[in-house]
Amino acid sequence: MEPGHRLIEANIAERFGVSRVPVREALSQLQSEGFVELVRYRGATVSGASRADALELMQVRRGLEVLSAQLAAQRHGGDVADALSAIVDRARQARSTDAMNAVPPLVFEFHELVATASGNRQLAEMLDRALRRVSWVFDRHLEARADAEWDDHAAIAHAILNGSPVQAGYLMSEHIAKDELLIRELHAG
């Protein structure tokens, strides 16, 4: 749904065959996660990330992602080292076959694996919330960054698996900086 789309509780309840109470609770949860705006006496609408909101989110994401990559490199990928290597191969295969619909879940999975590899559960949970918001903003603009993104991911995975925390953190920071630049360009017009 596009930003600003009105979400009518009664319609949603009818569509899913539930009462309005769980719909109201779901909308409240979505509001707390930033996906929905609730305005008293007007109801719920799909949120539209402002340029400032999107940039602030990217700054938070950068800090979390850099720390995650550094900790993951200290552990050489930990228990998910093989999965981290495999996902880069799967993404290359998806790119070579132009399977663009397979790319967004792989992007999300890559970043989840890096967070898991960090060994820090609290960090992984915070990053999960940030990544869900970020992926919501970016899924519409995937083709603008798909090729360079997996080159970045391959380099980050290599640094993590080789146990290079400084390099992994730097590469992740540069990777997120490209997304920040894309946010600025998308919201400039």
Side-chain angles (χ1 to χ4, degrees), residues 17-75:
V18 297
S19 74
R20 290 175 65 168
V21 173
V23 171
R24 193 171 300 122
E25 290 172 1
L27 291 173
S28 179
Q29 177 67 34
L30 289 169
Q31 178 191 29
S32 73
E33 294 173 5
F35 297 110
V36 168
E37 293 176 8
L38 294 175
V39 179
R40 192 174 196 153
Y41 305 116
R42 287 190 38 209
T45 57
V46 175
S47 292
S50 70
R51 180 176 190 254
D53 290 343
L55 288 172
E56 287 174 1
L57 179 60
M58 293 306 291
Q59 290 170 340
V60 169
R61 176 188 176 205
R62 188 192 293 216
L64 295 173
E65 292 263 27
V66 167
L67 177 59
S68 181
Q70 291 170 333
L71 293 174
Q74 288 173 4
R75 302 177 72 235

Side-chain angles (χ1 to χ4, degrees), residues 41-187:
Y41 305 116
R42 287 190 38 209
T45 57
V46 175
S47 292
S50 70
R51 180 176 190 254
D53 290 343
L55 288 172
E56 287 174 1
L57 179 60
M58 293 306 291
Q59 290 170 340
V60 169
R61 176 188 176 205
R62 188 192 293 216
L64 295 173
E65 292 263 27
V66 167
L67 177 59
S68 181
Q70 291 170 333
L71 293 174
Q74 288 173 4
R75 302 177 72 235
H76 295 265
D79 296 339
V80 296
D82 291 339
L84 196 55
S85 182
I87 195 165
V88 172
D89 293 337
R90 287 182 15 228
R92 282 187 180 134
Q93 184 177 14
R95 274 181 36 204
S96 70
T97 60
D98 281 334
M100 291 304 287
N101 61 338
V103 175
L106 291 173
V107 170
F108 194 77
E109 186 179 346
F110 174 82
H111 288 278
E112 281 183 321
L113 283 169
V114 172
T116 300
S118 76
N120 184 319
R121 190 177 49 81
Q122 296 298 320
L123 175 60
E125 288 176 13
M126 283 187 244
L127 196 48
D128 180 66
R129 285 191 296 276
L131 286 173
R132 288 187 189 283
R133 297 262 330 268
V134 167
S135 68
W136 185 55
V137 170
F138 276 132
D139 279 352
R140 292 187 178 127
H141 308 286
L142 179 64
E143 290 186 39
R145 61 196 233 291
D147 287 336
E149 182 167 50
W150 280 102
D151 293 339
D152 289 357
H153 286 175
I156 293 164
H158 183 75
I160 288 170
L161 297 173
N162 286 332
S164 303
V166 173
Q167 183 182 25
Y170 173 78
L171 291 170
M172 185 65 83
S173 181
E174 291 298 303
H175 173 63
I176 306 303
K178 290 175 187 175
D179 285 349
E180 289 175 15
L181 181 60
L182 183 58
I183 289 281
R184 289 178 200 280
E185 290 171 356
L186 291 173
H187 288 275

Side-chain angles (χ1 to χ4, degrees), residues 6-19:
R6 191 147 181 253
L7 303 168
I8 301 168
E9 284 181 19
N11 294 352
I12 296 169
E14 183 179 325
R15 178 178 175 194
F16 292 101
V18 297
S19 74

